[in-house]
Amino acid sequence: MNTRRPYIVGLTGGIGSGKSAAADGFAAHGITVVDTDVIAHALTSPDGAAIPTIRRLFGEHMIAADGSMDRARMRALVFSAPESRRQLEAILHPMIQALSAQLCADATSPYVILAVPLLIESGRYRERCDRICVVDCPEALQIERVGRRSGLSASQVQAIMQAQAPRAERLAAADDVIDNSGSLDDLRKQVGILNEGYISQALLARQA
């Protein structure tokens, strides 16, 4: 296990902003990406560590035929019942925080990208980050992208967006902003420039 504290860049953005594409861009430069969405998916997949508790608290009908959490059914429930959302978060959040901390600590790249959709909303994750990078695009483009990839209606996407920090709040918290209103090549160029800066900042932090 790596005992040196890693330099952590928190990566976030609203749904449909292109956070995953940006994370892939950093990974292409050899940077370790710890994605809390990926961790959550693993925890709720067949034989995932969270499945027994989800089954016990929410019932067998929330478990799909393959043994994973029925994500569509759970999504509908937590957006209509705040108490159910709190219950699910109480199951998943401690597991995600522990696993993400371990993966960051074990990383050997010059710095670590910690990708968290609700980074701005979560004090615990913000405290772990040396720098915050926000992937941003106009809200109309977020709605269009999510609708195209998932089939959700505009109102459904807007409901998800309303559960996240407002765009202005994310931008106010950002040390760096990736403008993803253009092409994928534009995004990759911005990631490349930021990567060089983060390597330098991580080196300085280690020398301090």
Side-chain angles (χ1 to χ4, degrees):
M1 176 178 167
N2 183 9
T3 57
R4 174 180 58 81
R5 183 195 178 280
Y7 188 87
I8 297 177
V9 177
L11 181 69
T12 193
I15 185 171
S17 62
K19 175 178 61 65
S20 295
D24 289 344
F26 285 107
H29 287 280
I31 303 303
T32 297
V33 174
V34 177
D35 191 327
T36 59
D37 268 352
V38 172
I39 295 172
H41 194 277
L43 290 170
T44 56
S45 292
D47 299 321
I51 290 297
T53 307
I54 290 171
R55 178 182 278 112
R56 177 170 56 81
L57 289 181
F58 291 98
E60 192 65 39
H61 66 287
M62 283 297 175
I63 306 300
D66 65 355
S68 66
M69 183 181 74
D70 188 322
R71 290 176 177 81
R73 185 169 286 180
M74 184 64 78
R75 185 187 304 115
L77 175 64
V78 298
F79 274 106
S80 64
E83 180 56 33
S84 294
R85 179 178 181 174
R86 285 190 288 270
Q87 283 183 307
L88 183 64
E89 289 174 345
I91 297 168
L92 293 177
H93 284 190
M95 292 181 176
I96 295 170
Q97 288 168 8
L99 283 169
S100 62
Q102 186 63 61
L103 291 169
C104 286
D106 289 344
T108 57
S109 57
Y111 64 94
V112 180
I113 289 289
L114 178 59
V116 186
L118 301 181
L119 176 66
I120 304 306
E121 297 86 340
S122 172
R124 291 183 182 179
Y125 284 109
R126 289 182 70 173
E127 290 168 2
R128 288 163 55 183
C129 297
D130 296 285
R131 201 163 181 87
I132 294 176
C133 178
V134 170
V135 185
D136 180 64
C137 71
E139 292 179 355
L141 188 52
Q142 289 179 251
I143 294 169
E144 177 190 332
R145 284 173 174 165
V146 177
R148 189 167 60 239
R149 81 185 183 203
S150 66
L152 295 176
S153 68
S155 61
Q156 288 174 311
V157 179
Q158 287 170 331
I160 295 171
M161 291 168 63
Q162 287 168 6
Q164 299 180 336
R167 182 186 182 192
E169 186 178 339
R170 281 195 299 273
L171 292 173
D175 296 300
D176 305 293
V177 177
I178 295 175
D179 177 3
N180 192 29
S181 57
S183 69
L184 186 58
D185 281 344
D186 290 337
L187 180 144
R188 287 170 175 162
K189 288 175 184 175
Q190 294 175 75
V191 166
I193 293 169
L194 287 171
N195 175 62
E196 293 179 3
Y198 293 153
I199 290 174
S200 298
Q201 291 156 19
L203 179 61
L204 289 173
R206 285 199 296 272
Q207 294 172 343

